[in-house]
Amino acid sequence: MPEPTPTPGTVERLIGELNRLPGIGPKSAQRLAYHLLRASADDVRCLAEALTALKERTRLCSICCNVTDSDPCNICRSEQRNKEQICIVEQPQDILAIEHTGAYHGRYHVLHGAISPTEGVGPDNVRISHLMRRLDSDHASEVILATNTNFEGETTAMYLTRLIAPLNIMVTRLARGLPFGTELEYADDVTLTRALEGRQSF
Amino acid sequence: MPEPTPTPGTVERLIGELNRLPGIGPKSAQRLAYHLLRASADDVRCLAEALTALKERTRLCSICCNVTDSDPCNICRSEQRNKEQICIVEQPQDILAIEHTGAYHGRYHVLHGAISPTEGVGPDNVRISHLMRRLDSDHASEVILATNTNFEGETTAMYLTRLIAPLNIMVTRLARGLPFGTELEYADDVTLTRALEGRQSF
């Protein structure tokens, strides 16, 4: 019988930790661990420190609930952002995507989730009450719903629309339709139906 | 003009560090970073500690050059391994693959690379002289060449064969042929040629 395993404890432990990350299987974890073994001590230290800092230095912005090093976050603090526009997203990374377009100059609100009756996530489990207090005090003129276009995102958008409607604030949501570069014959039925329903004059 | 970026420094830094790892693009790095933000502080600390330990606790085994926490490594220390068989591999992770089969009970030698004239890697840049000293003192009876089956691996295997031949040690190499589950019509020419050349009586 061969010995159980030749992997030294330390490397094996790192492979195990990496393997727990989403999208990183056993083979990738192994490849990463051996890459890091060959990498410079400085590089590995930088990565370890960045990980430690993640939990120690970040918090949620008290205004928009985005992840931030300083409170309020850069966007909420900025004088160049339109304070009356609030774009509601499910996750902090959604802000990255919208900022990357350069097409939005208002502020955000991060719900940190979406209402999902099937998974037992109700309105109280996402940051909706925080949003409602904020709408009241911020004199918002427009709320843009930028939740995902799946069942949970739609449910959340509908719930918020009903909640905000009485406040005399304009509620809009991101347009649905054909994504850039689509060939019509390959578009799915729901997308095509929504593109038809939302057709614009040309 | 929108602000340059809303990502807080700490998250952005971790995304940058993760993005430098092989096989992890900007989108994966972002997904991992936000996953870690949601993960428990303990989980993130474990990963950071495993990274730090990697550089602090591991060294190379003075006998076989495998990565190890203790010197000599588990395999070289084991009384159950055949000390007269030495399997030569390019990288430490190759040992994992061979051990995983449970089909080999000898010892190893890790070259930490392969001879590659095109990339300027000569015999002095891999641990060949270390191997030769060891063959001399270890009374090896068989050397199994388990280098990769690409150009560099073959070059290294040929070079080692010539070097070891005068020492009266048997030199073998892993069989080449059709991998398990192959459909013949999809096998490449080189593999099929080698499978023919190496055909065995049935």
Side-chain angles (χ1 to χ4, degrees):
Chain A
M1 275 291 292
E3 296 283 286
T5 167
T7 324
T10 306
V11 180
E12 202 173 35
R13 187 177 142 215
L14 180 61
I15 293 175
E17 291 291 338
L18 291 169
N19 190 13
R20 296 176 60 197
L21 298 174
I24 299 197
K27 281 278 172 190
S28 301
Q30 194 176 305
R31 191 163 46 94
L32 286 172
Y34 282 102
H35 165 84
L36 290 164
L37 260 176
R38 286 192 303 271
S40 77
D42 267 2
D43 282 357
V44 177
R45 191 177 39 74
C46 281
L47 178 55
E49 283 175 3
L51 282 164
T52 309
L54 190 70
K55 286 295 173 185
E56 284 173 2
R57 292 210 209 126
T58 59
R59 72 204 77 177
L60 296 188
C61 170
S62 57
I63 298 174
C64 74
C65 302
N66 189 15
V67 179
T68 178
D69 284 4
S70 56
D71 187 17
C73 73
N74 289 342
I75 295 178
C76 287
R77 219 169 34 214
S78 168
E79 289 299 321
Q80 281 152 43
R81 314 285 306 210
N82 181 349
K83 289 184 168 34
E84 295 187 1
Q85 262 185 336
I86 299 179
C87 177
I88 299 179
V89 295
E90 293 182 21
Q91 301 295 348
Q93 53 267 49
D94 300 333
I95 295 185
L96 287 192
I98 296 176
E99 284 298 293
H100 195 255
T101 66
Y104 179 65
H105 308 138
R107 287 159 139 202
Y108 293 93
H109 187 86
V110 185
L111 296 174
H112 289 276
I115 297 171
S116 170
T118 55
E119 290 183 32
V121 181
D124 294 341
N125 304 115
V126 295
R127 287 164 197 269
I128 289 180
S129 59
H130 187 286
L131 169 69
M132 298 314 288
R133 283 195 301 275
R134 182 178 167 194
L135 291 181
D136 204 34
S137 61
D138 267 19
H139 310 293
S141 63
E142 181 182 2
V143 162
I144 302 169
L145 300 172
T147 50
N148 290 332
T149 58
N150 53 19
F151 180 70
E152 290 77 15
E154 301 281 299
T155 307
T156 309
M158 281 202 305
Y159 181 87
L160 286 172
T161 307
R162 279 190 216 147
L163 214 59
I164 300 171
L167 304 181
N168 204 21
I169 296 172
M170 180 163 70
V171 179
T172 61
R173 70 171 176 179
L174 298 188
R176 285 96 217 287
L178 300 167
F180 179 70
T182 304
E183 294 187 49
L184 224 69
E185 63 172 315
Y186 300 117
D188 65 278
D189 288 348
V190 179
T191 301
L192 206 48
T193 305
R194 283 174 175 172
L196 276 165
E197 288 168 355
R199 66 191 180 279
Q200 290 140 347
S201 59
F202 193 63
Chain B
M1 275 291 291
E3 295 282 285
T5 166
T7 324
T10 306
V11 180
E12 202 173 36
R13 188 177 140 216
L14 179 63
I15 293 175
E17 291 291 337
L18 292 170
N19 191 14
R20 295 176 59 196
L21 298 174
I24 300 195
K27 279 279 172 190
S28 301
Q30 195 177 303
R31 191 164 46 96
L32 285 172
Y34 281 102
H35 164 85
L36 290 164
L37 260 175
R38 286 190 304 270
S40 77
D42 268 0
D43 282 357
V44 177
R45 191 177 40 73
C46 282
L47 178 55
E49 283 175 2
L51 282 164
T52 309
L54 189 71
K55 285 297 173 187
E56 284 172 3
R57 294 211 207 125
T58 60
R59 71 203 82 176
L60 296 187
C61 171
S62 57
I63 299 174
C64 73
C65 304
N66 189 15
V67 179
T68 178
D69 283 4
S70 55
D71 187 18
C73 72
N74 289 343
I75 294 178
C76 287
R77 222 170 32 214
S78 168
E79 289 299 321
Q80 282 153 42
R81 312 288 303 212
N82 181 349
K83 289 184 168 35
E84 296 187 359
Q85 263 185 335
I86 298 178
C87 177
I88 299 180
V89 296
E90 294 182 21
Q91 300 293 351
Q93 54 268 47
D94 300 333
I95 295 186
L96 286 193
I98 296 177
E99 284 298 294
H100 195 255
T101 66
Y104 178 65
H105 309 138
R107 287 159 136 201
Y108 293 93
H109 186 86
V110 185
L111 296 175
H112 289 276
I115 297 172
S116 171
T118 53
E119 289 183 33
V121 181
D124 296 340
N125 303 115
V126 295
R127 285 160 199 270
I128 288 179
S129 58
H130 187 286
L131 170 68
M132 298 313 289
R133 283 196 301 277
R134 182 180 167 193
L135 292 182
D136 204 32
S137 61
D138 267 19
H139 310 294
S141 63
E142 182 182 1
V143 161
I144 302 169
L145 300 172
T147 51
N148 290 331
T149 58
N150 55 18
F151 179 70
E152 290 77 16
E154 300 280 301
T155 307
T156 310
M158 281 205 302
Y159 181 87
L160 287 172
T161 307
R162 280 191 214 148
L163 214 58
I164 301 170
L167 304 181
N168 203 22
I169 296 171
M170 181 163 69
V171 179
T172 59
R173 68 171 178 178
L174 298 187
R176 284 95 218 288
L178 300 167
F180 180 70
T182 304
E183 294 187 48
L184 224 68
E185 64 173 314
Y186 299 117
D188 65 279
D189 289 347
V190 179
T191 299
L192 206 49
T193 305
R194 284 176 174 170
L196 275 166
E197 288 168 354
R199 64 192 179 279
Q200 290 140 349
S201 59
F202 193 62

